[in-house]
Amino acid sequence: MLRWTLHQDGGGKTIRAVVAVEDQVYCFGGQSYSGHRYQMNVHVFSLVSLCWRMLCPTEIPAAGRGYTAVLIEHVIYVWGGRQRRLYAFHVDTHRWLKNEVSGTVPYGRYYHTACVLGKVMYIHGGWTRRTGWIDHIHKLDTSTMVWSFINASGTYPPHLMCPPHSATIIGTKIYVCGSDYVDDVKVFDTETERWLVRQKRRPKTIHSFWPRRLAFAHNGELYTLSGHDGYQPERCYLRKFCPETFSWKKARKGKGLSSMTMSYCCRVGDRVIFFGGENNPDKLHILDLSPSLKTLCKLAVIQYDLEQPGLPHNIRWELAAMTTNDNATQQEQRTSSSPGNKRKREDQQCLCLC
């Protein structure tokens, strides 16, 4: 029973990476320009108040694009882009630190993926200035801060190297989904350090321009939101992949989200937060994987345009936050000729302030 429960505008600008920490989502992006370098700003979105705030650390590292961020024990590690530096953002103190690392440090790259298993961060794929597209895997043991190159065995499909692919941890395996092949999944076993080949049917090709493949794990299954960008939003699908049967099925009917190019997502409990990228940096959507009865009732109030004056103040505030722009516009058009509509709009505007 999946439901889209929130569509909100406003927030972090030019988001490059997102990390969930308890009931807050840390968004990293480079928007401000200082000294011929873009700075890595930090915006935080609260799932309790549904509000944004910007952090102002004393030292802000230079930022580019194409980096990734992962969370390990209340420390967010940011790596990638042109630089080979590893930055650590401490969630408790809101301070940036540059960590000294050793071992086989990977080249700086773009369009790679990063995922975490225990205290180890895995870096996969991407594009480097030296070699172009690569399928290499590196890992960083954060307990010793030592990089290692994984000489993976098995074969790897070359089309999965192209952006924008995804890599998701389920158990001790990394599931990699490419961008242009919907049904093609490659599995990397972190214990044997081998690519596993298991494919029942030929992949289906989506003829589109840079579709974004967003993926997250839930209850031992892999969910992906894939399809075209804003030119053909109806090509966006939310699908579910079962590792046991190695099969796909559509998780929820509907066209999904539009303008997905360069978007990002993260899961917080039973909710998945999707952030707009370069095309729509202010967009935010929330997918509830297991909505409560209260949430379903609020969605019914919005869908059927039920009266709200008799509801408690906190419920009306939550309804105002959940109302999408499309629903709000339709509601305003339907009630423009009704008595007292001006007072109702003023109340909703007051409720939206936070």
Side-chain angles (χ1 to χ4, degrees), residues 115 117 122 124 135-139 150-154 156 167-176 185-197:
C115 49
L117 181 60
Y122 288 86
H124 167 257
D135 61 349
H136 298 166
I137 300 179
H138 290 77
K139 66 178 181 180
I150 298 179
N151 188 15
S153 57
Y156 184 81
T168 307
I169 289 280
I170 300 180
T172 59
K173 296 180 175 62
I174 302 176
Y175 291 80
V176 179
V185 179
K186 195 68 175 176
V187 184
F188 178 76
D189 192 334
T190 60
E191 295 180 334
T192 61
E193 296 186 347
R194 177 181 178 83
W195 289 104
L196 306 179
V197 179

PDB file of all heavy atoms in Angstrom, residues 115 117 122 124 135-139 150-154 156 167-176 185-197:
ATOM      1  N   CYS A 115      27.894   3.142  -1.432  1.00  0.00           N
ATOM      2  CA  CYS A 115      27.004   2.484  -0.490  1.00  0.00           C
ATOM      3  C   CYS A 115      27.832   1.958   0.677  1.00  0.00           C
ATOM      4  O   CYS A 115      29.068   1.867   0.595  1.00  0.00           O
ATOM      5  CB  CYS A 115      26.210   1.358  -1.149  1.00  0.00           C
ATOM      6  SG  CYS A 115      27.186   0.209  -2.136  1.00  0.00           S
ATOM      7  N   LEU A 117      28.387  -0.847   3.961  1.00  0.00           N
ATOM      8  CA  LEU A 117      28.148  -2.125   4.618  1.00  0.00           C
ATOM      9  C   LEU A 117      29.000  -2.140   5.879  1.00  0.00           C
ATOM     10  O   LEU A 117      30.230  -2.263   5.808  1.00  0.00           O
ATOM     11  CB  LEU A 117      28.501  -3.294   3.695  1.00  0.00           C
ATOM     12  CG  LEU A 117      28.274  -4.697   4.275  1.00  0.00           C
ATOM     13  CD1 LEU A 117      26.809  -4.882   4.639  1.00  0.00           C
ATOM     14  CD2 LEU A 117      28.725  -5.765   3.299  1.00  0.00           C
ATOM     15  N   TYR A 122      31.766   1.490  -0.119  1.00  0.00           N
ATOM     16  CA  TYR A 122      32.099   0.951  -1.427  1.00  0.00           C
ATOM     17  C   TYR A 122      31.838   2.016  -2.494  1.00  0.00           C
ATOM     18  O   TYR A 122      30.766   2.633  -2.523  1.00  0.00           O
ATOM     19  CB  TYR A 122      31.270  -0.289  -1.743  1.00  0.00           C
ATOM     20  CG  TYR A 122      31.667  -1.516  -0.948  1.00  0.00           C
ATOM     21  CD1 TYR A 122      31.131  -1.753   0.313  1.00  0.00           C
ATOM     22  CD2 TYR A 122      32.585  -2.430  -1.450  1.00  0.00           C
ATOM     23  CE1 TYR A 122      31.489  -2.869   1.048  1.00  0.00           C
ATOM     24  CE2 TYR A 122      32.956  -3.549  -0.727  1.00  0.00           C
ATOM     25  CZ  TYR A 122      32.406  -3.763   0.518  1.00  0.00           C
ATOM     26  OH  TYR A 122      32.770  -4.875   1.248  1.00  0.00           O
ATOM     27  N   HIS A 124      31.722   2.565  -6.614  1.00  0.00           N
ATOM     28  CA  HIS A 124      31.613   1.772  -7.841  1.00  0.00           C
ATOM     29  C   HIS A 124      31.413   2.660  -9.060  1.00  0.00           C
ATOM     30  O   HIS A 124      30.643   3.620  -9.028  1.00  0.00           O
ATOM     31  CB  HIS A 124      30.444   0.786  -7.744  1.00  0.00           C
ATOM     32  CG  HIS A 124      30.091   0.174  -9.069  1.00  0.00           C
ATOM     33  ND1 HIS A 124      28.995   0.576  -9.805  1.00  0.00           N
ATOM     34  CD2 HIS A 124      30.697  -0.795  -9.806  1.00  0.00           C
ATOM     35  CE1 HIS A 124      28.938  -0.114 -10.922  1.00  0.00           C
ATOM     36  NE2 HIS A 124      29.953  -0.954 -10.949  1.00  0.00           N
ATOM     37  N   ASP A 135      34.439   0.398 -14.527  1.00  0.00           N
ATOM     38  CA  ASP A 135      33.601  -0.457 -13.687  1.00  0.00           C
ATOM     39  C   ASP A 135      34.348  -0.888 -12.429  1.00  0.00           C
ATOM     40  O   ASP A 135      34.033  -1.919 -11.835  1.00  0.00           O
ATOM     41  CB  ASP A 135      33.135  -1.682 -14.473  1.00  0.00           C
ATOM     42  CG  ASP A 135      34.293  -2.549 -14.943  1.00  0.00           C
ATOM     43  OD1 ASP A 135      35.451  -2.090 -14.831  1.00  0.00           O
ATOM     44  OD2 ASP A 135      34.055  -3.672 -15.405  1.00  0.00           O
ATOM     45  N   HIS A 136      35.337  -0.114 -12.016  1.00  0.00           N
ATOM     46  CA  HIS A 136      36.158  -0.468 -10.856  1.00  0.00           C
ATOM     47  C   HIS A 136      35.363  -0.346  -9.564  1.00  0.00           C
ATOM     48  O   HIS A 136      34.410   0.425  -9.467  1.00  0.00           O
ATOM     49  CB  HIS A 136      37.389   0.435 -10.781  1.00  0.00           C
ATOM     50  CG  HIS A 136      38.297   0.297 -11.966  1.00  0.00           C
ATOM     51  ND1 HIS A 136      39.302   1.194 -12.240  1.00  0.00           N
ATOM     52  CD2 HIS A 136      38.343  -0.646 -12.949  1.00  0.00           C
ATOM     53  CE1 HIS A 136      39.925   0.823 -13.344  1.00  0.00           C
ATOM     54  NE2 HIS A 136      39.361  -0.280 -13.788  1.00  0.00           N
ATOM     55  N   ILE A 137      35.801  -1.102  -8.576  1.00  0.00           N
ATOM     56  CA  ILE A 137      35.242  -1.023  -7.228  1.00  0.00           C
ATOM     57  C   ILE A 137      36.375  -0.773  -6.241  1.00  0.00           C
ATOM     58  O   ILE A 137      37.379  -1.490  -6.249  1.00  0.00           O
ATOM     59  CB  ILE A 137      34.492  -2.316  -6.835  1.00  0.00           C
ATOM     60  CG1 ILE A 137      33.347  -2.586  -7.802  1.00  0.00           C
ATOM     61  CG2 ILE A 137      33.940  -2.202  -5.419  1.00  0.00           C
ATOM     62  CD1 ILE A 137      32.591  -3.850  -7.469  1.00  0.00           C
ATOM     63  N   HIS A 138      36.218   0.251  -5.435  1.00  0.00           N
ATOM     64  CA  HIS A 138      37.129   0.528  -4.327  1.00  0.00           C
ATOM     65  C   HIS A 138      36.336   0.494  -3.025  1.00  0.00           C
ATOM     66  O   HIS A 138      35.123   0.707  -3.021  1.00  0.00           O
ATOM     67  CB  HIS A 138      37.797   1.895  -4.474  1.00  0.00           C
ATOM     68  CG  HIS A 138      38.795   1.972  -5.589  1.00  0.00           C
ATOM     69  ND1 HIS A 138      38.420   2.077  -6.915  1.00  0.00           N
ATOM     70  CD2 HIS A 138      40.160   1.970  -5.576  1.00  0.00           C
ATOM     71  CE1 HIS A 138      39.498   2.140  -7.672  1.00  0.00           C
ATOM     72  NE2 HIS A 138      40.560   2.073  -6.893  1.00  0.00           N
ATOM     73  N   LYS A 139      37.031   0.227  -1.956  1.00  0.00           N
ATOM     74  CA  LYS A 139      36.379   0.275  -0.655  1.00  0.00           C
ATOM     75  C   LYS A 139      37.276   1.018   0.331  1.00  0.00           C
ATOM     76  O   LYS A 139      38.501   0.964   0.257  1.00  0.00           O
ATOM     77  CB  LYS A 139      36.059  -1.130  -0.140  1.00  0.00           C
ATOM     78  CG  LYS A 139      37.264  -1.995   0.178  1.00  0.00           C
ATOM     79  CD  LYS A 139      36.828  -3.355   0.727  1.00  0.00           C
ATOM     80  CE  LYS A 139      38.027  -4.235   1.066  1.00  0.00           C
ATOM     81  NZ  LYS A 139      37.605  -5.552   1.598  1.00  0.00           N
ATOM     82  N   ILE A 150      39.424  -3.385  -5.283  1.00  0.00           N
ATOM     83  CA  ILE A 150      38.889  -4.742  -5.324  1.00  0.00           C
ATOM     84  C   ILE A 150      39.052  -5.290  -6.732  1.00  0.00           C
ATOM     85  O   ILE A 150      38.476  -4.758  -7.690  1.00  0.00           O
ATOM     86  CB  ILE A 150      37.410  -4.766  -4.910  1.00  0.00           C
ATOM     87  CG1 ILE A 150      37.257  -4.272  -3.467  1.00  0.00           C
ATOM     88  CG2 ILE A 150      36.835  -6.171  -5.051  1.00  0.00           C
ATOM     89  CD1 ILE A 150      35.820  -4.239  -2.982  1.00  0.00           C
ATOM     90  N   ASN A 151      39.844  -6.327  -6.843  1.00  0.00           N
ATOM     91  CA  ASN A 151      40.031  -6.992  -8.128  1.00  0.00           C
ATOM     92  C   ASN A 151      38.908  -8.009  -8.304  1.00  0.00           C
ATOM     93  O   ASN A 151      39.078  -9.212  -8.095  1.00  0.00           O
ATOM     94  CB  ASN A 151      41.401  -7.666  -8.183  1.00  0.00           C
ATOM     95  CG  ASN A 151      41.723  -8.208  -9.561  1.00  0.00           C
ATOM     96  OD1 ASN A 151      41.068  -7.859 -10.542  1.00  0.00           O
ATOM     97  ND2 ASN A 151      42.715  -9.076  -9.638  1.00  0.00           N
ATOM     98  N   ALA A 152      37.740  -7.501  -8.677  1.00  0.00           N
ATOM     99  CA  ALA A 152      36.543  -8.336  -8.728  1.00  0.00           C
ATOM    100  C   ALA A 152      36.632  -9.351  -9.853  1.00  0.00           C
ATOM    101  O   ALA A 152      37.091  -9.048 -10.960  1.00  0.00           O
ATOM    102  CB  ALA A 152      35.309  -7.467  -8.898  1.00  0.00           C
ATOM    103  N   SER A 153      36.171 -10.556  -9.576  1.00  0.00           N
ATOM    104  CA  SER A 153      36.099 -11.592 -10.596  1.00  0.00           C
ATOM    105  C   SER A 153      34.701 -11.595 -11.207  1.00  0.00           C
ATOM    106  O   SER A 153      33.773 -10.969 -10.700  1.00  0.00           O
ATOM    107  CB  SER A 153      36.421 -12.963  -9.991  1.00  0.00           C
ATOM    108  OG  SER A 153      35.533 -13.247  -8.920  1.00  0.00           O
ATOM    109  N   GLY A 154      34.558 -12.331 -12.303  1.00  0.00           N
ATOM    110  CA  GLY A 154      33.283 -12.349 -13.001  1.00  0.00           C
ATOM    111  C   GLY A 154      33.228 -11.261 -14.057  1.00  0.00           C
ATOM    112  O   GLY A 154      34.111 -10.411 -14.162  1.00  0.00           O
ATOM    113  N   TYR A 156      31.214  -8.087 -16.163  1.00  0.00           N
ATOM    114  CA  TYR A 156      30.371  -6.945 -15.838  1.00  0.00           C
ATOM    115  C   TYR A 156      29.873  -6.313 -17.123  1.00  0.00           C
ATOM    116  O   TYR A 156      30.673  -5.986 -17.999  1.00  0.00           O
ATOM    117  CB  TYR A 156      31.165  -5.918 -15.019  1.00  0.00           C
ATOM    118  CG  TYR A 156      30.328  -4.740 -14.566  1.00  0.00           C
ATOM    119  CD1 TYR A 156      29.511  -4.846 -13.455  1.00  0.00           C
ATOM    120  CD2 TYR A 156      30.351  -3.533 -15.257  1.00  0.00           C
ATOM    121  CE1 TYR A 156      28.740  -3.781 -13.029  1.00  0.00           C
ATOM    122  CE2 TYR A 156      29.593  -2.462 -14.840  1.00  0.00           C
ATOM    123  CZ  TYR A 156      28.784  -2.594 -13.727  1.00  0.00           C
ATOM    124  OH  TYR A 156      28.025  -1.531 -13.318  1.00  0.00           O
ATOM    125  N   ALA A 167      23.441   1.761  -7.053  1.00  0.00           N
ATOM    126  CA  ALA A 167      24.013   0.617  -6.337  1.00  0.00           C
ATOM    127  C   ALA A 167      23.419   0.597  -4.934  1.00  0.00           C
ATOM    128  O   ALA A 167      23.529   1.581  -4.198  1.00  0.00           O
ATOM    129  CB  ALA A 167      25.538   0.717  -6.280  1.00  0.00           C
ATOM    130  N   THR A 168      22.785  -0.534  -4.579  1.00  0.00           N
ATOM    131  CA  THR A 168      22.060  -0.626  -3.319  1.00  0.00           C
ATOM    132  C   THR A 168      22.480  -1.883  -2.585  1.00  0.00           C
ATOM    133  O   THR A 168      22.582  -2.965  -3.178  1.00  0.00           O
ATOM    134  CB  THR A 168      20.541  -0.663  -3.573  1.00  0.00           C
ATOM    135  OG1 THR A 168      20.172   0.439  -4.396  1.00  0.00           O
ATOM    136  CG2 THR A 168      19.779  -0.590  -2.261  1.00  0.00           C
ATOM    137  N   ILE A 169      22.710  -1.743  -1.284  1.00  0.00           N
ATOM    138  CA  ILE A 169      23.095  -2.868  -0.436  1.00  0.00           C
ATOM    139  C   ILE A 169      21.849  -3.593   0.063  1.00  0.00           C
ATOM    140  O   ILE A 169      20.935  -2.968   0.608  1.00  0.00           O
ATOM    141  CB  ILE A 169      23.934  -2.399   0.766  1.00  0.00           C
ATOM    142  CG1 ILE A 169      25.327  -1.949   0.325  1.00  0.00           C
ATOM    143  CG2 ILE A 169      24.039  -3.490   1.820  1.00  0.00           C
ATOM    144  CD1 ILE A 169      26.301  -3.077   0.085  1.00  0.00           C
ATOM    145  N   ILE A 170      21.812  -4.925  -0.117  1.00  0.00           N
ATOM    146  CA  ILE A 170      20.811  -5.789   0.505  1.00  0.00           C
ATOM    147  C   ILE A 170      21.565  -6.985   1.073  1.00  0.00           C
ATOM    148  O   ILE A 170      22.117  -7.796   0.322  1.00  0.00           O
ATOM    149  CB  ILE A 170      19.740  -6.249  -0.489  1.00  0.00           C
ATOM    150  CG1 ILE A 170      19.001  -5.049  -1.087  1.00  0.00           C
ATOM    151  CG2 ILE A 170      18.746  -7.190   0.188  1.00  0.00           C
ATOM    152  CD1 ILE A 170      17.926  -5.439  -2.082  1.00  0.00           C
ATOM    153  N   GLY A 171      21.604  -7.086   2.381  1.00  0.00           N
ATOM    154  CA  GLY A 171      22.402  -8.134   3.019  1.00  0.00           C
ATOM    155  C   GLY A 171      23.872  -7.844   2.846  1.00  0.00           C
ATOM    156  O   GLY A 171      24.377  -6.805   3.277  1.00  0.00           O
ATOM    157  N   THR A 172      24.591  -8.763   2.209  1.00  0.00           N
ATOM    158  CA  THR A 172      26.014  -8.562   1.932  1.00  0.00           C
ATOM    159  C   THR A 172      26.276  -8.406   0.436  1.00  0.00           C
ATOM    160  O   THR A 172      27.417  -8.530   0.000  1.00  0.00           O
ATOM    161  CB  THR A 172      26.827  -9.755   2.469  1.00  0.00           C
ATOM    162  OG1 THR A 172      26.371 -10.961   1.845  1.00  0.00           O
ATOM    163  CG2 THR A 172      26.689  -9.873   3.972  1.00  0.00           C
ATOM    164  N   LYS A 173      25.242  -8.135  -0.323  1.00  0.00           N
ATOM    165  CA  LYS A 173      25.383  -8.001  -1.777  1.00  0.00           C
ATOM    166  C   LYS A 173      25.003  -6.591  -2.227  1.00  0.00           C
ATOM    167  O   LYS A 173      24.155  -5.937  -1.610  1.00  0.00           O
ATOM    168  CB  LYS A 173      24.520  -9.035  -2.507  1.00  0.00           C
ATOM    169  CG  LYS A 173      24.926 -10.477  -2.239  1.00  0.00           C
ATOM    170  CD  LYS A 173      24.031 -11.433  -2.986  1.00  0.00           C
ATOM    171  CE  LYS A 173      24.487 -12.885  -2.826  1.00  0.00           C
ATOM    172  NZ  LYS A 173      24.455 -13.332  -1.431  1.00  0.00           N
ATOM    173  N   ILE A 174      25.646  -6.152  -3.308  1.00  0.00           N
ATOM    174  CA  ILE A 174      25.369  -4.854  -3.918  1.00  0.00           C
ATOM    175  C   ILE A 174      24.621  -5.099  -5.215  1.00  0.00           C
ATOM    176  O   ILE A 174      25.099  -5.810  -6.101  1.00  0.00           O
ATOM    177  CB  ILE A 174      26.658  -4.074  -4.187  1.00  0.00           C
ATOM    178  CG1 ILE A 174      27.445  -3.856  -2.885  1.00  0.00           C
ATOM    179  CG2 ILE A 174      26.341  -2.719  -4.826  1.00  0.00           C
ATOM    180  CD1 ILE A 174      28.780  -3.162  -3.088  1.00  0.00           C
ATOM    181  N   TYR A 175      23.439  -4.514  -5.336  1.00  0.00           N
ATOM    182  CA  TYR A 175      22.611  -4.661  -6.526  1.00  0.00           C
ATOM    183  C   TYR A 175      22.739  -3.391  -7.369  1.00  0.00           C
ATOM    184  O   TYR A 175      22.400  -2.293  -6.923  1.00  0.00           O
ATOM    185  CB  TYR A 175      21.161  -4.902  -6.141  1.00  0.00           C
ATOM    186  CG  TYR A 175      20.937  -6.256  -5.503  1.00  0.00           C
ATOM    187  CD1 TYR A 175      21.242  -6.462  -4.156  1.00  0.00           C
ATOM    188  CD2 TYR A 175      20.463  -7.328  -6.239  1.00  0.00           C
ATOM    189  CE1 TYR A 175      21.052  -7.703  -3.559  1.00  0.00           C
ATOM    190  CE2 TYR A 175      20.270  -8.579  -5.659  1.00  0.00           C
ATOM    191  CZ  TYR A 175      20.567  -8.756  -4.321  1.00  0.00           C
ATOM    192  OH  TYR A 175      20.391  -9.990  -3.744  1.00  0.00           O
ATOM    193  N   VAL A 176      23.231  -3.585  -8.586  1.00  0.00           N
ATOM    194  CA  VAL A 176      23.502  -2.467  -9.490  1.00  0.00           C
ATOM    195  C   VAL A 176      22.474  -2.488 -10.610  1.00  0.00           C
ATOM    196  O   VAL A 176      22.287  -3.515 -11.272  1.00  0.00           O
ATOM    197  CB  VAL A 176      24.925  -2.549 -10.072  1.00  0.00           C
ATOM    198  CG1 VAL A 176      25.176  -1.386 -11.034  1.00  0.00           C
ATOM    199  CG2 VAL A 176      25.949  -2.539  -8.943  1.00  0.00           C
ATOM    200  N   VAL A 185      19.938  -6.424 -13.892  1.00  0.00           N
ATOM    201  CA  VAL A 185      20.478  -6.219 -12.552  1.00  0.00           C
ATOM    202  C   VAL A 185      21.756  -7.024 -12.419  1.00  0.00           C
ATOM    203  O   VAL A 185      21.794  -8.205 -12.764  1.00  0.00           O
ATOM    204  CB  VAL A 185      19.477  -6.645 -11.457  1.00  0.00           C
ATOM    205  CG1 VAL A 185      20.083  -6.447 -10.077  1.00  0.00           C
ATOM    206  CG2 VAL A 185      18.185  -5.863 -11.585  1.00  0.00           C
ATOM    207  N   LYS A 186      22.777  -6.379 -11.930  1.00  0.00           N
ATOM    208  CA  LYS A 186      24.045  -7.063 -11.683  1.00  0.00           C
ATOM    209  C   LYS A 186      24.277  -7.099 -10.188  1.00  0.00           C
ATOM    210  O   LYS A 186      24.048  -6.103  -9.487  1.00  0.00           O
ATOM    211  CB  LYS A 186      25.179  -6.329 -12.393  1.00  0.00           C
ATOM    212  CG  LYS A 186      26.454  -7.142 -12.491  1.00  0.00           C
ATOM    213  CD  LYS A 186      26.299  -8.325 -13.423  1.00  0.00           C
ATOM    214  CE  LYS A 186      27.636  -9.047 -13.605  1.00  0.00           C
ATOM    215  NZ  LYS A 186      27.486 -10.240 -14.430  1.00  0.00           N
ATOM    216  N   VAL A 187      24.735  -8.221  -9.686  1.00  0.00           N
ATOM    217  CA  VAL A 187      24.905  -8.411  -8.247  1.00  0.00           C
ATOM    218  C   VAL A 187      26.375  -8.634  -7.941  1.00  0.00           C
ATOM    219  O   VAL A 187      27.032  -9.484  -8.554  1.00  0.00           O
ATOM    220  CB  VAL A 187      24.073  -9.610  -7.747  1.00  0.00           C
ATOM    221  CG1 VAL A 187      24.186  -9.726  -6.228  1.00  0.00           C
ATOM    222  CG2 VAL A 187      22.618  -9.473  -8.177  1.00  0.00           C
ATOM    223  N   PHE A 188      26.874  -7.854  -6.962  1.00  0.00           N
ATOM    224  CA  PHE A 188      28.251  -8.016  -6.509  1.00  0.00           C
ATOM    225  C   PHE A 188      28.238  -8.554  -5.090  1.00  0.00           C
ATOM    226  O   PHE A 188      27.642  -7.956  -4.184  1.00  0.00           O
ATOM    227  CB  PHE A 188      28.999  -6.681  -6.558  1.00  0.00           C
ATOM    228  CG  PHE A 188      30.414  -6.770  -6.052  1.00  0.00           C
ATOM    229  CD1 PHE A 188      31.411  -7.337  -6.835  1.00  0.00           C
ATOM    230  CD2 PHE A 188      30.747  -6.290  -4.789  1.00  0.00           C
ATOM    231  CE1 PHE A 188      32.709  -7.425  -6.380  1.00  0.00           C
ATOM    232  CE2 PHE A 188      32.046  -6.374  -4.323  1.00  0.00           C
ATOM    233  CZ  PHE A 188      33.031  -6.942  -5.118  1.00  0.00           C
ATOM    234  N   ASP A 189      28.899  -9.697  -4.901  1.00  0.00           N
ATOM    235  CA  ASP A 189      28.986 -10.330  -3.581  1.00  0.00           C
ATOM    236  C   ASP A 189      30.206  -9.780  -2.865  1.00  0.00           C
ATOM    237  O   ASP A 189      31.351 -10.000  -3.292  1.00  0.00           O
ATOM    238  CB  ASP A 189      29.091 -11.848  -3.739  1.00  0.00           C
ATOM    239  CG  ASP A 189      28.884 -12.578  -2.413  1.00  0.00           C
ATOM    240  OD1 ASP A 189      29.157 -11.975  -1.359  1.00  0.00           O
ATOM    241  OD2 ASP A 189      28.455 -13.745  -2.453  1.00  0.00           O
ATOM    242  N   THR A 190      29.981  -9.059  -1.769  1.00  0.00           N
ATOM    243  CA  THR A 190      31.097  -8.456  -1.036  1.00  0.00           C
ATOM    244  C   THR A 190      31.927  -9.488  -0.286  1.00  0.00           C
ATOM    245  O   THR A 190      33.082  -9.204   0.067  1.00  0.00           O
ATOM    246  CB  THR A 190      30.575  -7.412  -0.036  1.00  0.00           C
ATOM    247  OG1 THR A 190      29.677  -8.043   0.896  1.00  0.00           O
ATOM    248  CG2 THR A 190      29.833  -6.289  -0.767  1.00  0.00           C
ATOM    249  N   GLU A 191      31.379 -10.666  -0.030  1.00  0.00           N
ATOM    250  CA  GLU A 191      32.124 -11.694   0.690  1.00  0.00           C
ATOM    251  C   GLU A 191      33.092 -12.418  -0.234  1.00  0.00           C
ATOM    252  O   GLU A 191      34.244 -12.675   0.134  1.00  0.00           O
ATOM    253  CB  GLU A 191      31.151 -12.689   1.335  1.00  0.00           C
ATOM    254  CG  GLU A 191      30.271 -12.055   2.417  1.00  0.00           C
ATOM    255  CD  GLU A 191      29.333 -13.054   3.042  1.00  0.00           C
ATOM    256  OE1 GLU A 191      28.993 -14.060   2.354  1.00  0.00           O
ATOM    257  OE2 GLU A 191      28.914 -12.846   4.201  1.00  0.00           O
ATOM    258  N   THR A 192      32.654 -12.748  -1.438  1.00  0.00           N
ATOM    259  CA  THR A 192      33.530 -13.436  -2.395  1.00  0.00           C
ATOM    260  C   THR A 192      34.192 -12.468  -3.370  1.00  0.00           C
ATOM    261  O   THR A 192      35.065 -12.889  -4.139  1.00  0.00           O
ATOM    262  CB  THR A 192      32.720 -14.470  -3.199  1.00  0.00           C
ATOM    263  OG1 THR A 192      31.678 -13.800  -3.934  1.00  0.00           O
ATOM    264  CG2 THR A 192      32.083 -15.489  -2.256  1.00  0.00           C
ATOM    265  N   GLU A 193      33.747 -11.204  -3.352  1.00  0.00           N
ATOM    266  CA  GLU A 193      34.252 -10.164  -4.255  1.00  0.00           C
ATOM    267  C   GLU A 193      34.149 -10.619  -5.709  1.00  0.00           C
ATOM    268  O   GLU A 193      35.097 -10.580  -6.480  1.00  0.00           O
ATOM    269  CB  GLU A 193      35.695  -9.779  -3.906  1.00  0.00           C
ATOM    270  CG  GLU A 193      35.810  -9.153  -2.522  1.00  0.00           C
ATOM    271  CD  GLU A 193      37.199  -8.629  -2.225  1.00  0.00           C
ATOM    272  OE1 GLU A 193      38.143  -8.954  -2.982  1.00  0.00           O
ATOM    273  OE2 GLU A 193      37.349  -7.871  -1.244  1.00  0.00           O
ATOM    274  N   ARG A 194      32.941 -11.044  -6.057  1.00  0.00           N
ATOM    275  CA  ARG A 194      32.686 -11.565  -7.398  1.00  0.00           C
ATOM    276  C   ARG A 194      31.350 -11.042  -7.909  1.00  0.00           C
ATOM    277  O   ARG A 194      30.385 -10.915  -7.156  1.00  0.00           O
ATOM    278  CB  ARG A 194      32.673 -13.102  -7.375  1.00  0.00           C
ATOM    279  CG  ARG A 194      32.353 -13.754  -8.716  1.00  0.00           C
ATOM    280  CD  ARG A 194      32.338 -15.263  -8.605  1.00  0.00           C
ATOM    281  NE  ARG A 194      31.980 -15.888  -9.882  1.00  0.00           N
ATOM    282  CZ  ARG A 194      32.843 -16.106 -10.861  1.00  0.00           C
ATOM    283  NH1 ARG A 194      34.122 -15.801 -10.692  1.00  0.00           N
ATOM    284  NH2 ARG A 194      32.454 -16.661 -11.991  1.00  0.00           N
ATOM    285  N   TRP A 195      31.323 -10.723  -9.228  1.00  0.00           N
ATOM    286  CA  TRP A 195      30.071 -10.362  -9.879  1.00  0.00           C
ATOM    287  C   TRP A 195      29.286 -11.635 -10.185  1.00  0.00           C
ATOM    288  O   TRP A 195      29.797 -12.562 -10.803  1.00  0.00           O
ATOM    289  CB  TRP A 195      30.326  -9.596 -11.177  1.00  0.00           C
ATOM    290  CG  TRP A 195      30.844  -8.206 -10.966  1.00  0.00           C
ATOM    291  CD1 TRP A 195      32.113  -7.764 -11.136  1.00  0.00           C
ATOM    292  CD2 TRP A 195      30.071  -7.074 -10.547  1.00  0.00           C
ATOM    293  NE1 TRP A 195      32.201  -6.429 -10.847  1.00  0.00           N
ATOM    294  CE2 TRP A 195      30.957  -5.971 -10.484  1.00  0.00           C
ATOM    295  CE3 TRP A 195      28.732  -6.869 -10.227  1.00  0.00           C
ATOM    296  CZ2 TRP A 195      30.542  -4.694 -10.110  1.00  0.00           C
ATOM    297  CZ3 TRP A 195      28.314  -5.603  -9.850  1.00  0.00           C
ATOM    298  CH2 TRP A 195      29.209  -4.541  -9.794  1.00  0.00           C
ATOM    299  N   LEU A 196      28.035 -11.677  -9.749  1.00  0.00           N
ATOM    300  CA  LEU A 196      27.192 -12.843  -9.946  1.00  0.00           C
ATOM    301  C   LEU A 196      26.314 -12.634 -11.171  1.00  0.00           C
ATOM    302  O   LEU A 196      25.709 -11.573 -11.348  1.00  0.00           O
ATOM    303  CB  LEU A 196      26.314 -13.087  -8.721  1.00  0.00           C
ATOM    304  CG  LEU A 196      27.049 -13.203  -7.376  1.00  0.00           C
ATOM    305  CD1 LEU A 196      26.053 -13.426  -6.262  1.00  0.00           C
ATOM    306  CD2 LEU A 196      28.073 -14.327  -7.425  1.00  0.00           C
ATOM    307  N   VAL A 197      26.225 -13.642 -12.011  1.00  0.00           N
ATOM    308  CA  VAL A 197      25.424 -13.568 -13.224  1.00  0.00           C
ATOM    309  C   VAL A 197      24.173 -14.412 -13.026  1.00  0.00           C
ATOM    310  O   VAL A 197      24.244 -15.619 -12.831  1.00  0.00           O
ATOM    311  CB  VAL A 197      26.209 -14.067 -14.451  1.00  0.00           C
ATOM    312  CG1 VAL A 197      25.335 -14.000 -15.701  1.00  0.00           C
ATOM    313  CG2 VAL A 197      27.476 -13.248 -14.642  1.00  0.00           C
TER     314      VAL A 197
END
